[in-house]
């Protein structure tokens, strides 16, 4: 698969870190004292910690079972990960956080909640029923150096709903939805189904639609007429749940690294794949903007929460009929919302869900609530009106320097034939002992080269080399995804001249055949695959 290494410009990274540090200071200085004063965490999400600001961008992958969640993640990282299993039945009831680690291993949920370097400490309140089904899979993967991925249990269909999870599944989803940078929701194009649990899961995502991307997966298994019907049904169903003026972005694709089935909409699938990879690729450089957006959203919710708590405190009697007055106020909460909106000029969109707030209020002692404290509210207003505005120039500087940041994923097949993509020799990262042995290794492709040469010369090379255009035309006939073919091209064009000679072409065909047989592609070309004529040049380059 096509993976361009994540190398960031130090100045740009400095801007991102500076914005993150400022956001962290604003949260601890302005928001946290108000959250504690009005017991915000009893009603809404727990307090933020350092790890919530410092960790890499996270992608939450969710969907009903058998929609291809685990396969989609394997497609992104191009390797199996600890604890993964693929099957048509519900193969796991586990939340798995894929994160970078120098050694491969699994960290159980209870250990994660006490690790200050991981952003999962506030998952403790969900209890052992959840923590026993939560784990972190660490591995030394280049993609995970830039993003983390959260794999979720398959959402149960109506037929499987008799199973009980033992924990509040929608509440856990909402906890992650608040903290991640992107939510990928997968549907199966040839088995579209909406269950009760899926509807409840949608409810957990309300308010975070800006992070949501929908994927209609396995689209190569249906014809164009069926695809249009399924797409229309999906958009209609999503419109009933997410009542937003913006239409949700739905990607049509077949997100795995195996050959796709021939269909009329094959080109559409390729374009959609590149669009989604570009969206994910941009997450690291947009992380500061997302954190700023989430902090502002939290501050506005906190302001509305403070006014609600203060109003309820003022309306409570000092001695008699406290319990009956409490229930009466809870019943009148929709009216109270309207009064606060009119009197305090707090926008209606800042208020928490009324029904959920009523449920939370039932278990609270109103006599312990606090009235409005002018100094705290002035601090909150200063945050929203002045402090956030001061961060905008830093974000603009970061925006101007975006071009110096390389993406994490590169699905642009055509772009791989441009010379500026070949400035870094991929073999310079080989260890010295490997490169010194390269001259003595037998070339693994040699015995297959006669049949590869026949293909090569049938494509009419010019001065002993095939152009990128000719190779691309031949490669696309394999029906492998563009991103996979782009990675094969980068491995094969050893001298980086944007063309392939007969040895490089033989190497490319050898890698394609291996991929079609189900093998993983190497991330860097091992010494025994380096064409003999290129070994001397790569060895001398290293010297």
């Amino acid at each position: 698969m096509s993976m361009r290494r994540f190398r960031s410009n130090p100045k740009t990274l400095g801007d991102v870190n500076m914005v993150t540090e400022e956001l962290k200071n604003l949260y601890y200085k302005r928001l946290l004292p108000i959250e504690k004063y009005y017991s915000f965490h009893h009603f809404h999400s727990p307090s933020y910690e350092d790890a919530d600001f410092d960790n890499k961008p996270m992608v939450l992958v969710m969907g009903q079972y058998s929609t291809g969640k685990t396969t989609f993640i394997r497609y992104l990282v191009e390797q199996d990960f600890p604890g993964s299993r693929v099957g048509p039945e519900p193969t796991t009831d586990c939340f798995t956080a894929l994160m970078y680690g120098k050694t491969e291993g699994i960290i159980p949920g209870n250990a994660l909640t006490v690790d200050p370097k991981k952003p999962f400490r506030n998952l403790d309140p969900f209890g052992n029923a959840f923590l026993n089904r939560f784990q972190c899979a660490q591995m030394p993967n280049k993609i995970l150096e830039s993003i983390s991925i959260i794999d979720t249990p398959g959402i149960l269909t109506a037929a499987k709903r008799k199973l009980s999870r033992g924990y509040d599944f929608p509440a856990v989803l909402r906890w992650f939805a608040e903290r991640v940078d992107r939510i990928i929701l997968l549907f199966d194009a040839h088995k579209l189904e909406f269950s009760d649990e899926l509807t409840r899961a949608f409810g957990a995502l309300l308010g975070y639609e800006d992070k949501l991307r929908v994927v209609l997966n396995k689209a190569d298994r249906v014809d164009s007429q069926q695809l249009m019907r399924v797409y229309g049904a999906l958009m209609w169903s999503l419109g009933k749940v997410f009542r937003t003026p913006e239409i949700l972005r739905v990607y049509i694709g077949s997100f795995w690294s195996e050959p796709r089935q021939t269909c009329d909409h094959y080109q559409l699938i390729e374009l959609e794949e590149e669009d989604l990879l570009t969206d994910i690729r941009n997450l690291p450089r947009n992380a500061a903007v997302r954190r700023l957006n989430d902090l502002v959203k939290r501050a506005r919710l906190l302001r509305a929460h403070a006014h609600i708590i203060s109003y309820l405190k003022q309306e409570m009697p000092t001695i008699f009929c406290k319990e009956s007055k409490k229930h009466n106020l809870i019943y009148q909460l929709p009216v109270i919302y309207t009064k606060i909106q009119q009197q305090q000029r707090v926008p209606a969109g800042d208020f928490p869900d009324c029904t959920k707030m009523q449920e939370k209020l039932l278990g609270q002692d109103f006599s312990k609530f606090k009235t409005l404290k002018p100094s705290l509210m002035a601090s909150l207003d200063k945050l929203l009106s002045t402090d956030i505005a001061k961060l905008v120039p830093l974000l603009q500087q970061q925006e101007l320097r975006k071009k110096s940041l390389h993406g994490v994923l590169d699905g642009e097949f055509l772009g791989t034939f441009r010379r500026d993509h070949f400035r870094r020799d991929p073999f310079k990262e080989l260890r010295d002992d490997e490169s010194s042995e390269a001259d003595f290794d037998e070339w693994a492709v040699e015995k297959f080269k006669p049949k590869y040469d026949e293909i090569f010369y049938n494509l009419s090379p010019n001065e002993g080399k095939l152009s990128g255009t000719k190779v691309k035309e031949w490669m696309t006939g394999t029906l492998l995804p563009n991103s996979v073919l782009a990675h094969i091209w980068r491995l094969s064009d050893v001298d980086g001249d944007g063309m392939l000679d007969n040895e490089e072409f033989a190497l490319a065909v050898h890698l394609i055949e291996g991929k079609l047989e189900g093998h993983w592609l190497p991330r860097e070309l091992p010494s025994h695959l380096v064409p003999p004529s290129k070994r001397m040049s790569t060895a001398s380059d290293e010297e």
Side-chain angles (χ1 to χ4, degrees), residues 324-356:
S324 62
K325 183 64 174 177
K326 170 185 169 179
H327 284 86
N328 191 36
L329 287 170
I330 293 174
Y331 178 76
Q332 292 181 339
L333 194 60
V335 179
I336 293 171
Y337 273 20
T338 305
K339 285 183 179 179
I340 295 172
Q341 291 165 23
Q342 294 171 347
Q343 294 172 5
Q344 306 296 335
R345 296 185 178 180
V346 179
D350 292 356
F351 284 77
D353 181 84
C354 190
T355 305
K356 290 181 180 177

Side-chain angles (χ1 to χ4, degrees), residues 180-412:
V180 300
D181 295 69
R182 183 68 72 237
I183 304 166
I184 306 290
L185 179 59
L186 287 110
F187 288 93
D188 192 325
H190 78 296
K191 194 177 62 179
L192 190 63
E193 184 178 356
F194 279 74
S195 64
D196 292 341
E197 188 174 53
L198 183 62
T199 304
R200 283 192 289 273
F202 285 159
L205 304 180
L206 293 177
Y208 302 103
E209 293 87 352
D210 57 319
K211 300 179 181 182
L212 185 61
R213 301 291 183 271
V214 181
V215 174
L216 190 56
N217 204 16
K218 306 179 184 178
D220 57 335
R221 299 189 187 180
V222 297
D223 61 35
S224 297
Q225 187 178 23
Q226 289 173 308
L227 181 63
M228 288 177 64
R229 288 174 178 168
V230 171
Y231 182 84
L234 178 61
M235 294 299 291
W236 180 79
S237 300
L238 292 173
K240 286 173 61 181
V241 179
F242 300 104
R243 300 182 180 277
T244 58
E246 303 86 11
I247 298 174
L248 287 174
R249 177 66 163 95
V250 177
Y251 296 88
I252 298 167
S254 181
F255 291 94
W256 63 338
S257 59
E258 302 308 312
R260 294 177 178 138
Q261 297 181 19
T262 307
C263 56
D264 295 338
H265 44 275
Y266 184 88
Q267 188 175 6
L268 173 65
I269 289 175
E270 294 290 359
L271 294 171
E272 293 283 277
E273 174 202 24
E274 292 176 14
D275 282 353
L276 182 60
L277 292 185
T278 300
D279 184 73
I280 297 173
R281 183 178 64 206
N282 290 334
L283 291 179
R285 65 189 189 187
N286 293 334
V289 179
R290 195 274 301 172
R291 291 189 184 109
L292 176 66
N293 185 58
D294 284 355
L295 192 73
V296 171
K297 192 182 292 185
R298 189 178 180 93
R300 295 173 75 94
L301 176 61
L302 177 58
R303 180 176 60 183
H305 173 81
H307 281 293
I308 295 167
I309 296 300
S310 172
Y311 186 94
L312 295 174
K313 173 66 175 178
Q314 290 175 340
E315 292 295 313
M316 283 295 288
T318 52
I319 301 175
F320 302 109
C321 306
K322 286 187 177 181
E323 199 62 27
S324 62
K325 183 64 174 177
K326 170 185 169 179
H327 284 86
N328 191 36
L329 287 170
I330 293 174
Y331 178 76
Q332 292 181 339
L333 194 60
V335 179
I336 293 171
Y337 273 20
T338 305
K339 285 183 179 179
I340 295 172
Q341 291 165 23
Q342 294 171 347
Q343 294 172 5
Q344 306 296 335
R345 296 185 178 180
V346 179
D350 292 356
F351 284 77
D353 181 84
C354 190
T355 305
K356 290 181 180 177
M357 191 67 177
Q358 287 172 322
E359 292 173 1
K360 295 281 178 67
L361 286 169
L362 284 170
Q364 298 294 322
D365 183 356
F366 285 20
S367 63
K368 294 182 180 179
F369 287 175
K370 306 289 179 61
T371 55
L372 279 184
K373 192 173 184 180
S375 60
L376 290 179
M377 299 310 292
S379 178
L380 186 56
D381 288 339
K382 186 175 185 294
L383 168 75
L384 290 168
S385 62
T386 307
D387 295 330
I388 294 296
K390 291 179 180 177
L391 291 178
V392 173
L394 285 177
L395 287 172
Q396 289 174 337
Q397 290 174 28
Q398 177 192 337
E399 193 73 24
L400 289 173
R401 289 174 178 156
K402 269 185 180 180
K403 291 181 180 178
S404 61
L405 269 172
H406 292 303
V408 182
L409 301 167
D410 174 23
E412 188 183 4

Side-chain angles (χ1 to χ4, degrees), residues 170-182:
V172 174
L173 286 178
R174 188 163 186 83
W175 188 95
F176 278 108
E178 182 182 355
R179 288 162 172 78
V180 300
D181 295 69
R182 183 68 72 237

Side-chain angles (χ1 to χ4, degrees), residues 10-20 288 394 397-398 401:
K11 291 181 180 179
T12 310
L13 198 56
D15 288 341
V16 174
N17 290 339
M18 193 182 301
V19 172
T20 302
L394 285 177
Q397 290 174 28
Q398 177 192 337
R401 289 174 178 156

